[in-house]
C-alpha cells in the first residue's frame, strides 16, 4: 500500500474541499492525519477551518482551542482576522481570546526568528573522500522535518544531505521564502559553511527545492553562485 505523505494528505483534502464537500473533507483529514510526518499545526489549521466552513462552529472552536491552548501552536493574526472560512467565528468571545494569544506568540516568534540548517551524513562517510552534496529547500508553510521526509533517502545513496530552513516564520513550524533576497542570502551562507566543513565533490552538487523553495534556488543560481556550472538547480515537486 502506498504511504500517505503530508503533502498527499493536504492535497487530497483540498481536492475534496474545492468540490464543496466540506464535511467529507473534514472527515478525510481527521481520519487520516494521525501518524503523518509533517506540520501538525498546519493540519489543525485545515481541520478547524474546514469544520467551520461545514457549519460546525463549536467543533471548529474546540479544535482551535486544542491547537492553541493545549498544543501551544500559534497562527498569523492577520490570517485569522481576514480568512473567509473563519468569519462566522468573530461573534464568539473565545475566538477573540485565541486570536490575542496568537498575536502575542507571533510577536515573540518574529523577534526570535533565525535560519536553521540540518545536515545528514551518509552512514559510510569517509572524510578522506569527496562526497556528493544535495541541498534541499522546503516550500512555503513547511519546515526541515517535512523536507527530510521526502529527501532523506538520498543519504542511503551516499549523498551528503543539507536541509536549510528559512528564518521567515509564518506560523508554528511553518516557514516561507517571501523575502527572496533574504532567503538567498541565507542559502549562500549555508552553502559556504557546508563547503568549509565537509569534503564536497564540487562537480556533483545539486540544489533543489519545492515551490517557493525552488524559486529561491533559481534566484540563488541567477546571482552567479553556480557560475562554474557545477551546481544544478531543480524546482520540481518531490513526491
Amino acid at each position: 500500500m502506498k504511504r500517505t505523505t503530508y503533502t498527499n494528505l493536504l492535497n487530497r483534502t483540498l481536492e475534496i474541499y474545492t468540490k464543496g464537500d466540506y464535511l467529507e473533507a473534514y472527515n478525510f483529514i481527521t481520519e487520516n492525519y494521525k501518524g503523518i510526518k509533517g506540520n501538525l499545526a498546519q493540519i489543525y489549521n485545515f481541520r478547524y477551518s474546514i469544520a467551520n466552513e461545514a457549519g460546525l462552529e463549536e467543533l471548529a472552536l474546540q479544535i482551535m482551542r486544542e491547537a492553541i491552548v493545549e498544543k501551544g501552536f500559534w497562527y498569523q493574526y492577520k490570517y485569522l482576522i481576514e480568512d473567509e472560512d473563519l468569519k462566522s467565528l468573530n461573534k464568539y468571545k473565545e475566538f477573540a481570546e485565541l486570536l490575542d494569544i496568537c498575536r502575542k506568540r507571533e510577536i515573540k516568534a518574529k523577534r526570535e526568528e533565525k535560519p536553521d540548517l540540518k545536515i545528514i551524513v551518509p552512514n559510510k562517510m569517509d572524510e578522506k573522500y569527496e562526497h556528493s552534496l544535495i541541498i534541499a529547500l522546503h516550500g512555503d508553510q513547511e519546515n526541515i522535518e517535512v523536507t527530510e521526509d521526502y529527501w532523506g533517502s538520498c543519504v542511503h545513496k551516499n549523498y551528503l544531505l543539507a536541509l536549510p530552513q528559512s528564518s521567515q516564520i509564518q506560523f508554528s513550524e511553518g516557514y516561507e521564502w517571501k523575502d527572496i533576497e533574504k532567503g538567498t542570502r541565507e542559502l549562500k551562507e549555508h552553502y559556504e559553511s557546508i563547503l568549509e566543513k565537509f569534503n564536497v565533490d564540487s562537480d556533483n552538487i545539486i540544489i533543489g527545492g519545492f515551490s517557493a523553495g525552488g524559486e529561491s534556488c533559481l534566484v540563488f543560481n541567477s546571482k552567479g553562485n553556480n557560475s562554474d556550472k557545477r551546481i544544478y538547480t531543480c524546482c520540481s515537486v518531490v513526491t
Side-chain angles (χ1 to χ4, degrees), residues 124-171:
K124 298 180 180 180
M125 185 169 183
D126 188 335
E127 295 183 0
K128 294 185 296 183
Y129 299 98
E130 293 182 336
H131 282 266
S132 302
L133 169 67
I134 292 180
I135 303 176
L137 277 66
H138 61 79
D140 275 354
Q141 301 185 344
E142 294 184 346
N143 55 43
I144 285 175
E145 183 182 15
V146 173
T147 312
E148 183 179 350
D149 195 38
Y150 291 101
W151 293 82
S153 61
C154 297
V155 177
H156 302 307
K157 298 180 181 179
N158 220 32
Y159 278 94
L160 179 67
L161 177 62
L163 304 171
Q165 184 168 277
S166 170
S167 65
Q168 303 167 55
I169 189 166
Q170 189 175 1
F171 59 92

Side-chain angles (χ1 to χ4, degrees), residues 5-18:
T5 65
Y6 173 74
T7 302
N8 293 151
L9 176 72
L10 298 190
N11 286 345
R12 178 55 182 157
T13 300
L14 285 172
E15 182 181 330
I16 300 170
Y17 174 86
T18 54

Side-chain angles (χ1 to χ4, degrees), residues 83-135:
D83 186 53
E84 291 296 326
D85 289 347
L86 302 176
K87 287 290 186 183
S88 66
L89 297 180
N90 285 324
K91 60 180 177 284
Y92 293 96
K93 179 182 177 181
E94 182 178 12
F95 183 65
E97 292 171 347
L98 293 172
L99 260 64
D100 189 54
I101 293 173
C102 287
R103 180 183 62 81
K104 293 175 181 176
R105 289 179 182 169
E106 180 178 0
I107 292 171
K108 184 176 186 294
K110 292 285 187 181
R111 189 166 57 238
E112 299 173 350
E113 65 182 11
K114 60 182 179 179
D116 197 4
L117 175 67
K118 181 175 183 178
I119 298 177
I120 306 174
V121 300
N123 292 330
K124 298 180 180 180
M125 185 169 183
D126 188 335
E127 295 183 0
K128 294 185 296 183
Y129 299 98
E130 293 182 336
H131 282 266
S132 302
L133 169 67
I134 292 180
I135 303 176

Side-chain angles (χ1 to χ4, degrees), residues 9-236:
L9 176 72
L10 298 190
N11 286 345
R12 178 55 182 157
T13 300
L14 285 172
E15 182 181 330
I16 300 170
Y17 174 86
T18 54
K19 293 178 181 179
D21 299 325
Y22 305 131
L23 185 57
E24 182 181 346
Y26 170 78
N27 287 334
F28 174 78
I29 192 169
T30 299
E31 292 168 3
N32 292 282
Y33 81 89
K34 293 182 179 179
I36 295 290
K37 191 174 183 179
N39 187 353
L40 187 59
Q42 178 72 304
I43 292 174
Y44 268 87
N45 175 41
F46 268 57
R47 291 182 63 222
Y48 65 66
S49 296
I50 296 173
N52 195 59
E53 191 70 3
L56 305 173
E57 293 180 357
E58 291 186 3
L59 177 59
L61 277 174
Q62 177 186 324
I63 297 169
M64 284 192 74
R65 185 187 317 117
E66 182 180 345
I68 297 168
V69 177
E70 297 179 23
K71 299 290 186 181
F73 299 144
W74 65 270
Y75 301 91
Q76 189 179 58
Y77 182 78
K78 183 179 179 182
Y79 154 72
L80 294 174
I81 285 290
E82 298 180 354
D83 186 53
E84 291 296 326
D85 289 347
L86 302 176
K87 287 290 186 183
S88 66
L89 297 180
N90 285 324
K91 60 180 177 284
Y92 293 96
K93 179 182 177 181
E94 182 178 12
F95 183 65
E97 292 171 347
L98 293 172
L99 260 64
D100 189 54
I101 293 173
C102 287
R103 180 183 62 81
K104 293 175 181 176
R105 289 179 182 169
E106 180 178 0
I107 292 171
K108 184 176 186 294
K110 292 285 187 181
R111 189 166 57 238
E112 299 173 350
E113 65 182 11
K114 60 182 179 179
D116 197 4
L117 175 67
K118 181 175 183 178
I119 298 177
I120 306 174
V121 300
N123 292 330
K124 298 180 180 180
M125 185 169 183
D126 188 335
E127 295 183 0
K128 294 185 296 183
Y129 299 98
E130 293 182 336
H131 282 266
S132 302
L133 169 67
I134 292 180
I135 303 176
L137 277 66
H138 61 79
D140 275 354
Q141 301 185 344
E142 294 184 346
N143 55 43
I144 285 175
E145 183 182 15
V146 173
T147 312
E148 183 179 350
D149 195 38
Y150 291 101
W151 293 82
S153 61
C154 297
V155 177
H156 302 307
K157 298 180 181 179
N158 220 32
Y159 278 94
L160 179 67
L161 177 62
L163 304 171
Q165 184 168 277
S166 170
S167 65
Q168 303 167 55
I169 189 166
Q170 189 175 1
F171 59 92
S172 286
E173 297 304 319
Y175 299 84
E176 61 183 357
W177 303 97
K178 186 175 182 180
D179 186 338
I180 293 292
E181 291 297 320
K182 184 177 183 180
T184 52
R185 284 198 306 271
E186 293 173 359
L187 178 55
K188 181 175 172 56
E189 290 172 3
H190 289 317
Y191 175 65
E192 292 174 347
S193 70
I194 293 167
L195 296 187
E196 288 179 3
K197 294 177 182 177
F198 295 93
N199 189 8
V200 174
D201 179 359
S202 58
D203 289 320
N204 198 357
I205 299 175
I206 299 172
I207 301 181
F210 170 67
S211 187
E215 182 181 357
S216 294
C217 291
L218 287 176
V219 175
F220 176 80
N221 175 64
S222 71
K223 291 182 178 296
N225 293 298
N226 70 332
S227 56
D228 57 5
K229 309 301 181 184
R230 294 177 298 193
I231 302 174
Y232 303 89
T233 306
C234 64
C235 297
S236 57

